[in-house]
Amino acid sequence: MTIKFENNLQYARELDARDTLKSCRTRFHFPEINGQPAVYFVGNSLGLCPVTAREAMDAELRVWAEYGVKGHFREANPWYSYHELLSPLVAPLVGAQEHEVVCMNSLTVNLHLLFVSFYRPTRRRYKIISEAKMFPSDRYMLETQARHHGFEPDDAIIEVEPRPGESCIREEDILAKIEEHKDELAMVFFGAVNYFTGQFFDVVKLTEAAHEVGAIAGFDLAHAIGNLPLQLHDWQVDFAAWCSYKYLNAGPGNVAGIFVHEKHARDTELPRFGGWWGHDKERRFLMENHFQPMPTAEGWQLSNTPVFGMAVKKASLEIFNETGVRRLREKSLMLTSYLEYIFNDVVAKFPDLQIKIITPEDTAKRGCQLSIKLTGTDRSLLEALTTKGALVDFREPDVIRAAPAPLYNSFEDVFQFGRILSSALRAR
Ligand SMILES: *Cc1c(COP(=O)(O)O)cnc(C)c1O
């Protein structure tokens, strides 16, 4: 991006004045620090509470109070099919057909369920390629899946690491590993956006490379959904899963979601674990034996819908649907580039310090998050930033993550972050 940014309040406010999404900010509650709305750059960890969330939840509580069990089959938004209201809202965020997505369970649970169908190792083909420094829950999922099938995790899981002295992983190294292990590879499984570095992997290339050697391509989209536009259907991704409480702002631990490409979803013979909510919906209440899965992503559902959480999630997804993920990305590219500029401008005034951004400079290879490596300072910087009004987070051993979310963060937030960072560094 070749914009000549400036580090001053008036300039930041001019950028805000031109921002066509600026009114979205008023649709969220901001936590306060020292009586002021915080500079909230932790939407990659827990997104903000939409103002409409409370009414959405209250509405379903009222239905429960007034109708009891009849709430399942009321005319308006019946609970028994409540998840169906969310699919059309989620599908555009990941570039899926409506029947390729469903909201259910939580992320790690869903990954295990999807692995039941998509990780079907044989003695010869059992290896999984993933990124080094994967999110721990995903790593534990991989390890226990390998063990479950009788393999040793250290043998079955191949991690692609950054080269010595580098923080991000080179795509050519991933492709080379896929080629190297082509005869024993069962799956390529990556966090599409790495939680630690913010690196966005080339989902298209990885999927193609996996398919070329006869492996499945699966992705964890926890840090990608609501952050970057995705086209899972066209990209031929086999399966994906995500949580809803990060960029999707659905609230702590709320219902997650999955994608199963229709080429697999249609195959009702595909092995899976079953429950009544995955059963043919025309016959669900006939209470018969013999599980007959739906030929859609819904065929992976187990249980009936947790409506209260879903209601809040729906309220949040509606905001995304009004703005559209492409407009968000346009703003996000500017907003994060502005943060990068402000950060570098501030840090240049402290030449004794070695703190730097490790997220790729190439905007095509990142979402909104910037990860900052704190060589020579420590965690105390985080406390100083928080006290002064900026919420970012810290990930062991030495990285601060700052994620300006285009839906509710402003250019002025970025300017204020720079001011707070500068003051925290001066006070060391
Ligand atoms: C946030 C996150 C999780 C969290 O998993 P839950 O099952 O929702 O607790 C898992 N994986 C990744 C990559 C994440 O970023």
Side-chain angles (χ1 to χ4, degrees), residues 44-45 106-109 111 134-138 191 193 195 220-223 243 245-246 253-254 256 401:
N44 55 349
S45 184
S106 50
L107 172 54
T108 312
V109 170
L111 287 174
M134 163 163 262
F135 192 89
S137 198
D138 298 38
V193 173
Y195 83 100
D220 184 319
L221 304 180
H223 283 266
C243 52
Y245 46 81
K246 292 171 180 168
N254 204 349
R401 304 184 306 169

mmCIF file with all atom_site columns, all heavy atoms in Angstrom, residues 44-45 106-109 111 134-138 191 193 195 220-223 243 245-246 253-254 256 401, ligand 1:
data_model
loop_
_atom_site.group_PDB
_atom_site.id
_atom_site.type_symbol
_atom_site.label_atom_id
_atom_site.label_alt_id
_atom_site.label_comp_id
_atom_site.label_asym_id
_atom_site.label_entity_id
_atom_site.label_seq_id
_atom_site.pdbx_PDB_ins_code
_atom_site.Cartn_x
_atom_site.Cartn_y
_atom_site.Cartn_z
_atom_site.occupancy
_atom_site.B_iso_or_equiv
_atom_site.pdbx_formal_charge
_atom_site.auth_seq_id
_atom_site.auth_comp_id
_atom_site.auth_asym_id
_atom_site.auth_atom_id
_atom_site.pdbx_PDB_model_num
ATOM   1   N N   . ASN A 1 44  ? -9.517  -10.489 18.138 1.00 0.00 ? 44  ASN A N   1
ATOM   2   C CA  . ASN A 1 44  ? -9.027  -11.809 17.703 1.00 0.00 ? 44  ASN A CA  1
ATOM   3   C C   . ASN A 1 44  ? -9.119  -12.827 18.831 1.00 0.00 ? 44  ASN A C   1
ATOM   4   O O   . ASN A 1 44  ? -8.906  -14.013 18.629 1.00 0.00 ? 44  ASN A O   1
ATOM   5   C CB  . ASN A 1 44  ? -7.584  -11.712 17.205 1.00 0.00 ? 44  ASN A CB  1
ATOM   6   C CG  . ASN A 1 44  ? -6.660  -11.103 18.244 1.00 0.00 ? 44  ASN A CG  1
ATOM   7   O OD1 . ASN A 1 44  ? -7.113  -10.565 19.257 1.00 0.00 ? 44  ASN A OD1 1
ATOM   8   N ND2 . ASN A 1 44  ? -5.365  -11.174 17.995 1.00 0.00 ? 44  ASN A ND2 1
ATOM   9   N N   . SER A 1 45  ? -9.418  -12.344 20.023 1.00 0.00 ? 45  SER A N   1
ATOM   10  C CA  . SER A 1 45  ? -9.518  -13.229 21.181 1.00 0.00 ? 45  SER A CA  1
ATOM   11  C C   . SER A 1 45  ? -10.987 -13.333 21.619 1.00 0.00 ? 45  SER A C   1
ATOM   12  O O   . SER A 1 45  ? -11.533 -14.425 21.742 1.00 0.00 ? 45  SER A O   1
ATOM   13  C CB  . SER A 1 45  ? -8.658  -12.650 22.300 1.00 0.00 ? 45  SER A CB  1
ATOM   14  O OG  . SER A 1 45  ? -8.632  -13.491 23.400 1.00 0.00 ? 45  SER A OG  1
ATOM   15  N N   . SER A 1 106 ? -18.756 -26.635 19.601 1.00 0.00 ? 106 SER A N   1
ATOM   16  C CA  . SER A 1 106 ? -17.652 -25.684 19.705 1.00 0.00 ? 106 SER A CA  1
ATOM   17  C C   . SER A 1 106 ? -16.521 -26.164 18.803 1.00 0.00 ? 106 SER A C   1
ATOM   18  O O   . SER A 1 106 ? -16.581 -27.271 18.253 1.00 0.00 ? 106 SER A O   1
ATOM   19  C CB  . SER A 1 106 ? -17.204 -25.552 21.155 1.00 0.00 ? 106 SER A CB  1
ATOM   20  O OG  . SER A 1 106 ? -16.997 -26.829 21.693 1.00 0.00 ? 106 SER A OG  1
ATOM   21  N N   . LEU A 1 107 ? -15.511 -25.339 18.659 1.00 0.00 ? 107 LEU A N   1
ATOM   22  C CA  . LEU A 1 107 ? -14.520 -25.573 17.601 1.00 0.00 ? 107 LEU A CA  1
ATOM   23  C C   . LEU A 1 107 ? -13.779 -26.902 17.734 1.00 0.00 ? 107 LEU A C   1
ATOM   24  O O   . LEU A 1 107 ? -13.737 -27.693 16.798 1.00 0.00 ? 107 LEU A O   1
ATOM   25  C CB  . LEU A 1 107 ? -13.534 -24.390 17.565 1.00 0.00 ? 107 LEU A CB  1
ATOM   26  C CG  . LEU A 1 107 ? -12.323 -24.526 16.656 1.00 0.00 ? 107 LEU A CG  1
ATOM   27  C CD1 . LEU A 1 107 ? -12.715 -24.874 15.227 1.00 0.00 ? 107 LEU A CD1 1
ATOM   28  C CD2 . LEU A 1 107 ? -11.522 -23.221 16.663 1.00 0.00 ? 107 LEU A CD2 1
ATOM   29  N N   . THR A 1 108 ? -13.183 -27.152 18.890 1.00 0.00 ? 108 THR A N   1
ATOM   30  C CA  . THR A 1 108 ? -12.364 -28.360 19.012 1.00 0.00 ? 108 THR A CA  1
ATOM   31  C C   . THR A 1 108 ? -13.226 -29.614 18.889 1.00 0.00 ? 108 THR A C   1
ATOM   32  O O   . THR A 1 108 ? -12.819 -30.605 18.270 1.00 0.00 ? 108 THR A O   1
ATOM   33  C CB  . THR A 1 108 ? -11.581 -28.344 20.337 1.00 0.00 ? 108 THR A CB  1
ATOM   34  O OG1 . THR A 1 108 ? -10.946 -27.064 20.481 1.00 0.00 ? 108 THR A OG1 1
ATOM   35  C CG2 . THR A 1 108 ? -10.520 -29.420 20.362 1.00 0.00 ? 108 THR A CG2 1
ATOM   36  N N   . VAL A 1 109 ? -14.420 -29.556 19.446 1.00 0.00 ? 109 VAL A N   1
ATOM   37  C CA  . VAL A 1 109 ? -15.367 -30.671 19.307 1.00 0.00 ? 109 VAL A CA  1
ATOM   38  C C   . VAL A 1 109 ? -15.633 -30.930 17.823 1.00 0.00 ? 109 VAL A C   1
ATOM   39  O O   . VAL A 1 109 ? -15.588 -32.069 17.344 1.00 0.00 ? 109 VAL A O   1
ATOM   40  C CB  . VAL A 1 109 ? -16.700 -30.341 20.027 1.00 0.00 ? 109 VAL A CB  1
ATOM   41  C CG1 . VAL A 1 109 ? -17.763 -31.365 19.691 1.00 0.00 ? 109 VAL A CG1 1
ATOM   42  C CG2 . VAL A 1 109 ? -16.480 -30.258 21.529 1.00 0.00 ? 109 VAL A CG2 1
ATOM   43  N N   . LEU A 1 111 ? -13.817 -30.158 15.247 1.00 0.00 ? 111 LEU A N   1
ATOM   44  C CA  . LEU A 1 111 ? -12.653 -30.704 14.536 1.00 0.00 ? 111 LEU A CA  1
ATOM   45  C C   . LEU A 1 111 ? -12.584 -32.211 14.740 1.00 0.00 ? 111 LEU A C   1
ATOM   46  O O   . LEU A 1 111 ? -12.348 -32.970 13.796 1.00 0.00 ? 111 LEU A O   1
ATOM   47  C CB  . LEU A 1 111 ? -11.371 -30.022 15.016 1.00 0.00 ? 111 LEU A CB  1
ATOM   48  C CG  . LEU A 1 111 ? -11.191 -28.584 14.522 1.00 0.00 ? 111 LEU A CG  1
ATOM   49  C CD1 . LEU A 1 111 ? -9.974  -27.929 15.164 1.00 0.00 ? 111 LEU A CD1 1
ATOM   50  C CD2 . LEU A 1 111 ? -11.067 -28.525 12.992 1.00 0.00 ? 111 LEU A CD2 1
ATOM   51  N N   . MET A 1 134 ? 1.203   -24.412 16.030 1.00 0.00 ? 134 MET A N   1
ATOM   52  C CA  . MET A 1 134 ? -0.237  -24.426 15.811 1.00 0.00 ? 134 MET A CA  1
ATOM   53  C C   . MET A 1 134 ? -0.921  -24.110 17.138 1.00 0.00 ? 134 MET A C   1
ATOM   54  O O   . MET A 1 134 ? -0.334  -24.316 18.201 1.00 0.00 ? 134 MET A O   1
ATOM   55  C CB  . MET A 1 134 ? -0.542  -25.851 15.348 1.00 0.00 ? 134 MET A CB  1
ATOM   56  C CG  . MET A 1 134 ? -1.941  -26.288 15.402 1.00 0.00 ? 134 MET A CG  1
ATOM   57  S SD  . MET A 1 134 ? -2.091  -27.738 14.357 1.00 0.00 ? 134 MET A SD  1
ATOM   58  C CE  . MET A 1 134 ? -2.727  -26.988 12.879 1.00 0.00 ? 134 MET A CE  1
ATOM   59  N N   . PHE A 1 135 ? -2.138  -23.640 17.100 1.00 0.00 ? 135 PHE A N   1
ATOM   60  C CA  . PHE A 1 135 ? -2.886  -23.387 18.332 1.00 0.00 ? 135 PHE A CA  1
ATOM   61  C C   . PHE A 1 135 ? -2.942  -24.682 19.153 1.00 0.00 ? 135 PHE A C   1
ATOM   62  O O   . PHE A 1 135 ? -3.252  -25.739 18.609 1.00 0.00 ? 135 PHE A O   1
ATOM   63  C CB  . PHE A 1 135 ? -4.293  -22.916 17.984 1.00 0.00 ? 135 PHE A CB  1
ATOM   64  C CG  . PHE A 1 135 ? -5.049  -22.360 19.149 1.00 0.00 ? 135 PHE A CG  1
ATOM   65  C CD1 . PHE A 1 135 ? -4.958  -21.011 19.462 1.00 0.00 ? 135 PHE A CD1 1
ATOM   66  C CD2 . PHE A 1 135 ? -5.839  -23.176 19.950 1.00 0.00 ? 135 PHE A CD2 1
ATOM   67  C CE1 . PHE A 1 135 ? -5.657  -20.490 20.548 1.00 0.00 ? 135 PHE A CE1 1
ATOM   68  C CE2 . PHE A 1 135 ? -6.533  -22.657 21.034 1.00 0.00 ? 135 PHE A CE2 1
ATOM   69  C CZ  . PHE A 1 135 ? -6.441  -21.307 21.334 1.00 0.00 ? 135 PHE A CZ  1
ATOM   70  N N   . PRO A 1 136 ? -2.631  -24.623 20.449 1.00 0.00 ? 136 PRO A N   1
ATOM   71  C CA  . PRO A 1 136 ? -2.492  -25.859 21.233 1.00 0.00 ? 136 PRO A CA  1
ATOM   72  C C   . PRO A 1 136 ? -3.689  -26.800 21.139 1.00 0.00 ? 136 PRO A C   1
ATOM   73  O O   . PRO A 1 136 ? -3.504  -28.019 21.032 1.00 0.00 ? 136 PRO A O   1
ATOM   74  C CB  . PRO A 1 136 ? -2.309  -25.369 22.666 1.00 0.00 ? 136 PRO A CB  1
ATOM   75  C CG  . PRO A 1 136 ? -1.966  -23.934 22.577 1.00 0.00 ? 136 PRO A CG  1
ATOM   76  C CD  . PRO A 1 136 ? -2.347  -23.421 21.222 1.00 0.00 ? 136 PRO A CD  1
ATOM   77  N N   . SER A 1 137 ? -4.913  -26.280 21.170 1.00 0.00 ? 137 SER A N   1
ATOM   78  C CA  . SER A 1 137 ? -6.065  -27.175 21.141 1.00 0.00 ? 137 SER A CA  1
ATOM   79  C C   . SER A 1 137 ? -6.070  -27.997 19.850 1.00 0.00 ? 137 SER A C   1
ATOM   80  O O   . SER A 1 137 ? -6.378  -29.187 19.860 1.00 0.00 ? 137 SER A O   1
ATOM   81  C CB  . SER A 1 137 ? -7.363  -26.375 21.271 1.00 0.00 ? 137 SER A CB  1
ATOM   82  O OG  . SER A 1 137 ? -8.424  -27.211 21.656 1.00 0.00 ? 137 SER A OG  1
ATOM   83  N N   . ASP A 1 138 ? -5.710  -27.365 18.749 1.00 0.00 ? 138 ASP A N   1
ATOM   84  C CA  . ASP A 1 138 ? -5.659  -28.069 17.463 1.00 0.00 ? 138 ASP A CA  1
ATOM   85  C C   . ASP A 1 138 ? -4.562  -29.128 17.480 1.00 0.00 ? 138 ASP A C   1
ATOM   86  O O   . ASP A 1 138 ? -4.714  -30.226 16.953 1.00 0.00 ? 138 ASP A O   1
ATOM   87  C CB  . ASP A 1 138 ? -5.401  -27.090 16.311 1.00 0.00 ? 138 ASP A CB  1
ATOM   88  C CG  . ASP A 1 138 ? -6.516  -26.070 16.174 1.00 0.00 ? 138 ASP A CG  1
ATOM   89  O OD1 . ASP A 1 138 ? -7.039  -25.620 17.205 1.00 0.00 ? 138 ASP A OD1 1
ATOM   90  O OD2 . ASP A 1 138 ? -6.866  -25.718 15.042 1.00 0.00 ? 138 ASP A OD2 1
ATOM   91  N N   . GLY A 1 191 ? -4.141  -23.920 10.262 1.00 0.00 ? 191 GLY A N   1
ATOM   92  C CA  . GLY A 1 191 ? -4.903  -22.746 10.665 1.00 0.00 ? 191 GLY A CA  1
ATOM   93  C C   . GLY A 1 191 ? -4.744  -21.756 9.518  1.00 0.00 ? 191 GLY A C   1
ATOM   94  O O   . GLY A 1 191 ? -3.622  -21.349 9.212  1.00 0.00 ? 191 GLY A O   1
ATOM   95  N N   . VAL A 1 193 ? -5.324  -18.675 9.124  1.00 0.00 ? 193 VAL A N   1
ATOM   96  C CA  . VAL A 1 193 ? -4.540  -17.561 9.658  1.00 0.00 ? 193 VAL A CA  1
ATOM   97  C C   . VAL A 1 193 ? -3.939  -18.056 10.964 1.00 0.00 ? 193 VAL A C   1
ATOM   98  O O   . VAL A 1 193 ? -4.671  -18.487 11.854 1.00 0.00 ? 193 VAL A O   1
ATOM   99  C CB  . VAL A 1 193 ? -5.412  -16.310 9.924  1.00 0.00 ? 193 VAL A CB  1
ATOM   100 C CG1 . VAL A 1 193 ? -4.603  -15.228 10.638 1.00 0.00 ? 193 VAL A CG1 1
ATOM   101 C CG2 . VAL A 1 193 ? -5.986  -15.766 8.619  1.00 0.00 ? 193 VAL A CG2 1
ATOM   102 N N   . TYR A 1 195 ? -2.640  -18.154 14.566 1.00 0.00 ? 195 TYR A N   1
ATOM   103 C CA  . TYR A 1 195 ? -3.050  -17.310 15.709 1.00 0.00 ? 195 TYR A CA  1
ATOM   104 C C   . TYR A 1 195 ? -1.888  -16.502 16.265 1.00 0.00 ? 195 TYR A C   1
ATOM   105 O O   . TYR A 1 195 ? -2.084  -15.436 16.843 1.00 0.00 ? 195 TYR A O   1
ATOM   106 C CB  . TYR A 1 195 ? -3.648  -18.185 16.816 1.00 0.00 ? 195 TYR A CB  1
ATOM   107 C CG  . TYR A 1 195 ? -2.614  -18.814 17.731 1.00 0.00 ? 195 TYR A CG  1
ATOM   108 C CD1 . TYR A 1 195 ? -2.347  -18.255 18.987 1.00 0.00 ? 195 TYR A CD1 1
ATOM   109 C CD2 . TYR A 1 195 ? -1.883  -19.918 17.339 1.00 0.00 ? 195 TYR A CD2 1
ATOM   110 C CE1 . TYR A 1 195 ? -1.386  -18.811 19.819 1.00 0.00 ? 195 TYR A CE1 1
ATOM   111 C CE2 . TYR A 1 195 ? -0.930  -20.470 18.158 1.00 0.00 ? 195 TYR A CE2 1
ATOM   112 C CZ  . TYR A 1 195 ? -0.673  -19.920 19.398 1.00 0.00 ? 195 TYR A CZ  1
ATOM   113 O OH  . TYR A 1 195 ? 0.286   -20.446 20.216 1.00 0.00 ? 195 TYR A OH  1
ATOM   114 N N   . ASP A 1 220 ? -8.555  -24.806 9.889  1.00 0.00 ? 220 ASP A N   1
ATOM   115 C CA  . ASP A 1 220 ? -9.145  -24.148 11.044 1.00 0.00 ? 220 ASP A CA  1
ATOM   116 C C   . ASP A 1 220 ? -9.239  -22.663 10.713 1.00 0.00 ? 220 ASP A C   1
ATOM   117 O O   . ASP A 1 220 ? -8.222  -22.026 10.420 1.00 0.00 ? 220 ASP A O   1
ATOM   118 C CB  . ASP A 1 220 ? -8.271  -24.386 12.279 1.00 0.00 ? 220 ASP A CB  1
ATOM   119 C CG  . ASP A 1 220 ? -8.898  -23.788 13.520 1.00 0.00 ? 220 ASP A CG  1
ATOM   120 O OD1 . ASP A 1 220 ? -9.450  -22.668 13.432 1.00 0.00 ? 220 ASP A OD1 1
ATOM   121 O OD2 . ASP A 1 220 ? -8.841  -24.436 14.578 1.00 0.00 ? 220 ASP A OD2 1
ATOM   122 N N   . LEU A 1 221 ? -10.452 -22.130 10.757 1.00 0.00 ? 221 LEU A N   1
ATOM   123 C CA  . LEU A 1 221 ? -10.663 -20.727 10.354 1.00 0.00 ? 221 LEU A CA  1
ATOM   124 C C   . LEU A 1 221 ? -10.903 -19.806 11.543 1.00 0.00 ? 221 LEU A C   1
ATOM   125 O O   . LEU A 1 221 ? -11.447 -18.710 11.387 1.00 0.00 ? 221 LEU A O   1
ATOM   126 C CB  . LEU A 1 221 ? -11.855 -20.647 9.401  1.00 0.00 ? 221 LEU A CB  1
ATOM   127 C CG  . LEU A 1 221 ? -11.795 -21.520 8.150  1.00 0.00 ? 221 LEU A CG  1
ATOM   128 C CD1 . LEU A 1 221 ? -13.055 -21.312 7.316  1.00 0.00 ? 221 LEU A CD1 1
ATOM   129 C CD2 . LEU A 1 221 ? -10.561 -21.199 7.315  1.00 0.00 ? 221 LEU A CD2 1
ATOM   130 N N   . ALA A 1 222 ? -10.490 -20.245 12.739 1.00 0.00 ? 222 ALA A N   1
ATOM   131 C CA  . ALA A 1 222 ? -10.757 -19.447 13.945 1.00 0.00 ? 222 ALA A CA  1
ATOM   132 C C   . ALA A 1 222 ? -10.315 -17.997 13.773 1.00 0.00 ? 222 ALA A C   1
ATOM   133 O O   . ALA A 1 222 ? -11.009 -17.063 14.173 1.00 0.00 ? 222 ALA A O   1
ATOM   134 C CB  . ALA A 1 222 ? -10.055 -20.060 15.155 1.00 0.00 ? 222 ALA A CB  1
ATOM   135 N N   . HIS A 1 223 ? -9.150  -17.795 13.151 1.00 0.00 ? 223 HIS A N   1
ATOM   136 C CA  . HIS A 1 223 ? -8.626  -16.439 12.991 1.00 0.00 ? 223 HIS A CA  1
ATOM   137 C C   . HIS A 1 223 ? -8.841  -15.877 11.588 1.00 0.00 ? 223 HIS A C   1
ATOM   138 O O   . HIS A 1 223 ? -8.330  -14.800 11.265 1.00 0.00 ? 223 HIS A O   1
ATOM   139 C CB  . HIS A 1 223 ? -7.142  -16.404 13.361 1.00 0.00 ? 223 HIS A CB  1
ATOM   140 C CG  . HIS A 1 223 ? -6.944  -16.411 14.839 1.00 0.00 ? 223 HIS A CG  1
ATOM   141 N ND1 . HIS A 1 223 ? -6.795  -15.268 15.572 1.00 0.00 ? 223 HIS A ND1 1
ATOM   142 C CD2 . HIS A 1 223 ? -6.942  -17.434 15.725 1.00 0.00 ? 223 HIS A CD2 1
ATOM   143 C CE1 . HIS A 1 223 ? -6.681  -15.580 16.855 1.00 0.00 ? 223 HIS A CE1 1
ATOM   144 N NE2 . HIS A 1 223 ? -6.765  -16.890 16.968 1.00 0.00 ? 223 HIS A NE2 1
ATOM   145 N N   . CYS A 1 243 ? -14.556 -20.963 15.275 1.00 0.00 ? 243 CYS A N   1
ATOM   146 C CA  . CYS A 1 243 ? -15.325 -20.578 16.455 1.00 0.00 ? 243 CYS A CA  1
ATOM   147 C C   . CYS A 1 243 ? -16.005 -19.247 16.143 1.00 0.00 ? 243 CYS A C   1
ATOM   148 O O   . CYS A 1 243 ? -15.714 -18.607 15.133 1.00 0.00 ? 243 CYS A O   1
ATOM   149 C CB  . CYS A 1 243 ? -14.447 -20.487 17.697 1.00 0.00 ? 243 CYS A CB  1
ATOM   150 S SG  . CYS A 1 243 ? -12.994 -19.464 17.499 1.00 0.00 ? 243 CYS A SG  1
ATOM   151 N N   . TYR A 1 245 ? -16.553 -16.629 18.546 1.00 0.00 ? 245 TYR A N   1
ATOM   152 C CA  . TYR A 1 245 ? -16.425 -15.562 19.553 1.00 0.00 ? 245 TYR A CA  1
ATOM   153 C C   . TYR A 1 245 ? -15.270 -14.622 19.285 1.00 0.00 ? 245 TYR A C   1
ATOM   154 O O   . TYR A 1 245 ? -15.068 -13.672 20.023 1.00 0.00 ? 245 TYR A O   1
ATOM   155 C CB  . TYR A 1 245 ? -16.289 -16.174 20.958 1.00 0.00 ? 245 TYR A CB  1
ATOM   156 C CG  . TYR A 1 245 ? -15.302 -17.314 21.042 1.00 0.00 ? 245 TYR A CG  1
ATOM   157 C CD1 . TYR A 1 245 ? -13.943 -17.072 21.141 1.00 0.00 ? 245 TYR A CD1 1
ATOM   158 C CD2 . TYR A 1 245 ? -15.734 -18.634 20.994 1.00 0.00 ? 245 TYR A CD2 1
ATOM   159 C CE1 . TYR A 1 245 ? -13.040 -18.121 21.188 1.00 0.00 ? 245 TYR A CE1 1
ATOM   160 C CE2 . TYR A 1 245 ? -14.840 -19.682 21.032 1.00 0.00 ? 245 TYR A CE2 1
ATOM   161 C CZ  . TYR A 1 245 ? -13.486 -19.425 21.143 1.00 0.00 ? 245 TYR A CZ  1
ATOM   162 O OH  . TYR A 1 245 ? -12.607 -20.460 21.170 1.00 0.00 ? 245 TYR A OH  1
ATOM   163 N N   . LYS A 1 246 ? -14.479 -14.876 18.233 1.00 0.00 ? 246 LYS A N   1
ATOM   164 C CA  . LYS A 1 246 ? -13.367 -13.979 17.909 1.00 0.00 ? 246 LYS A CA  1
ATOM   165 C C   . LYS A 1 246 ? -13.909 -12.870 17.010 1.00 0.00 ? 246 LYS A C   1
ATOM   166 O O   . LYS A 1 246 ? -14.699 -12.054 17.456 1.00 0.00 ? 246 LYS A O   1
ATOM   167 C CB  . LYS A 1 246 ? -12.223 -14.782 17.315 1.00 0.00 ? 246 LYS A CB  1
ATOM   168 C CG  . LYS A 1 246 ? -11.616 -15.702 18.386 1.00 0.00 ? 246 LYS A CG  1
ATOM   169 C CD  . LYS A 1 246 ? -10.611 -16.696 17.899 1.00 0.00 ? 246 LYS A CD  1
ATOM   170 C CE  . LYS A 1 246 ? -10.108 -17.531 19.084 1.00 0.00 ? 246 LYS A CE  1
ATOM   171 N NZ  . LYS A 1 246 ? -9.348  -18.711 18.670 1.00 0.00 ? 246 LYS A NZ  1
ATOM   172 N N   . GLY A 1 253 ? -17.401 -18.527 24.165 1.00 0.00 ? 253 GLY A N   1
ATOM   173 C CA  . GLY A 1 253 ? -17.713 -19.945 24.020 1.00 0.00 ? 253 GLY A CA  1
ATOM   174 C C   . GLY A 1 253 ? -18.961 -20.249 23.218 1.00 0.00 ? 253 GLY A C   1
ATOM   175 O O   . GLY A 1 253 ? -19.456 -21.371 23.238 1.00 0.00 ? 253 GLY A O   1
ATOM   176 N N   . ASN A 1 254 ? -19.471 -19.263 22.509 1.00 0.00 ? 254 ASN A N   1
ATOM   177 C CA  . ASN A 1 254 ? -20.742 -19.493 21.791 1.00 0.00 ? 254 ASN A CA  1
ATOM   178 C C   . ASN A 1 254 ? -20.568 -20.495 20.641 1.00 0.00 ? 254 ASN A C   1
ATOM   179 O O   . ASN A 1 254 ? -19.458 -20.839 20.261 1.00 0.00 ? 254 ASN A O   1
ATOM   180 C CB  . ASN A 1 254 ? -21.308 -18.157 21.290 1.00 0.00 ? 254 ASN A CB  1
ATOM   181 C CG  . ASN A 1 254 ? -22.823 -18.216 21.090 1.00 0.00 ? 254 ASN A CG  1
ATOM   182 O OD1 . ASN A 1 254 ? -23.427 -19.279 21.120 1.00 0.00 ? 254 ASN A OD1 1
ATOM   183 N ND2 . ASN A 1 254 ? -23.412 -17.061 20.873 1.00 0.00 ? 254 ASN A ND2 1
ATOM   184 N N   . ALA A 1 256 ? -20.134 -22.737 17.534 1.00 0.00 ? 256 ALA A N   1
ATOM   185 C CA  . ALA A 1 256 ? -19.171 -22.630 16.444 1.00 0.00 ? 256 ALA A CA  1
ATOM   186 C C   . ALA A 1 256 ? -19.817 -23.047 15.115 1.00 0.00 ? 256 ALA A C   1
ATOM   187 O O   . ALA A 1 256 ? -21.056 -23.139 15.038 1.00 0.00 ? 256 ALA A O   1
ATOM   188 C CB  . ALA A 1 256 ? -17.966 -23.513 16.760 1.00 0.00 ? 256 ALA A CB  1
ATOM   189 N N   . ARG A 1 401 ? -0.091  -9.329  20.554 1.00 0.00 ? 401 ARG A N   1
ATOM   190 C CA  . ARG A 1 401 ? -0.932  -9.340  19.350 1.00 0.00 ? 401 ARG A CA  1
ATOM   191 C C   . ARG A 1 401 ? -1.885  -8.155  19.411 1.00 0.00 ? 401 ARG A C   1
ATOM   192 O O   . ARG A 1 401 ? -2.532  -7.939  20.443 1.00 0.00 ? 401 ARG A O   1
ATOM   193 C CB  . ARG A 1 401 ? -1.746  -10.636 19.267 1.00 0.00 ? 401 ARG A CB  1
ATOM   194 C CG  . ARG A 1 401 ? -0.911  -11.905 19.302 1.00 0.00 ? 401 ARG A CG  1
ATOM   195 C CD  . ARG A 1 401 ? -1.778  -13.142 19.129 1.00 0.00 ? 401 ARG A CD  1
ATOM   196 N NE  . ARG A 1 401 ? -2.878  -13.205 20.088 1.00 0.00 ? 401 ARG A NE  1
ATOM   197 C CZ  . ARG A 1 401 ? -3.889  -14.060 20.014 1.00 0.00 ? 401 ARG A CZ  1
ATOM   198 N NH1 . ARG A 1 401 ? -3.965  -14.910 19.006 1.00 0.00 ? 401 ARG A NH1 1
ATOM   199 N NH2 . ARG A 1 401 ? -4.841  -14.068 20.930 1.00 0.00 ? 401 ARG A NH2 1
HETATM 200 C C1  . LIG B 2 .   ? -9.441  -19.810 19.505 1.00 0.00 ? 1   LIG B C1  1
HETATM 201 C C2  . LIG B 2 .   ? -8.988  -21.074 18.884 1.00 0.00 ? 1   LIG B C2  1
HETATM 202 C C3  . LIG B 2 .   ? -9.416  -22.317 19.361 1.00 0.00 ? 1   LIG B C3  1
HETATM 203 C C4  . LIG B 2 .   ? -10.332 -22.433 20.556 1.00 0.00 ? 1   LIG B C4  1
HETATM 204 O O1  . LIG B 2 .   ? -10.964 -23.667 20.582 1.00 0.00 ? 1   LIG B O1  1
HETATM 205 P P1  . LIG B 2 .   ? -12.354 -23.879 21.368 1.00 0.00 ? 1   LIG B P1  1
HETATM 206 O O2  . LIG B 2 .   ? -12.679 -25.273 21.071 1.00 0.00 ? 1   LIG B O2  1
HETATM 207 O O3  . LIG B 2 .   ? -13.313 -22.863 20.848 1.00 0.00 ? 1   LIG B O3  1
HETATM 208 O O4  . LIG B 2 .   ? -12.073 -23.631 22.829 1.00 0.00 ? 1   LIG B O4  1
HETATM 209 C C5  . LIG B 2 .   ? -8.977  -23.448 18.710 1.00 0.00 ? 1   LIG B C5  1
HETATM 210 N N1  . LIG B 2 .   ? -8.149  -23.366 17.649 1.00 0.00 ? 1   LIG B N1  1
HETATM 211 C C6  . LIG B 2 .   ? -7.707  -22.187 17.167 1.00 0.00 ? 1   LIG B C6  1
HETATM 212 C C7  . LIG B 2 .   ? -6.797  -22.143 15.986 1.00 0.00 ? 1   LIG B C7  1
HETATM 213 C C8  . LIG B 2 .   ? -8.094  -21.005 17.775 1.00 0.00 ? 1   LIG B C8  1
HETATM 214 O O5  . LIG B 2 .   ? -7.641  -19.840 17.316 1.00 0.00 ? 1   LIG B O5  1
#
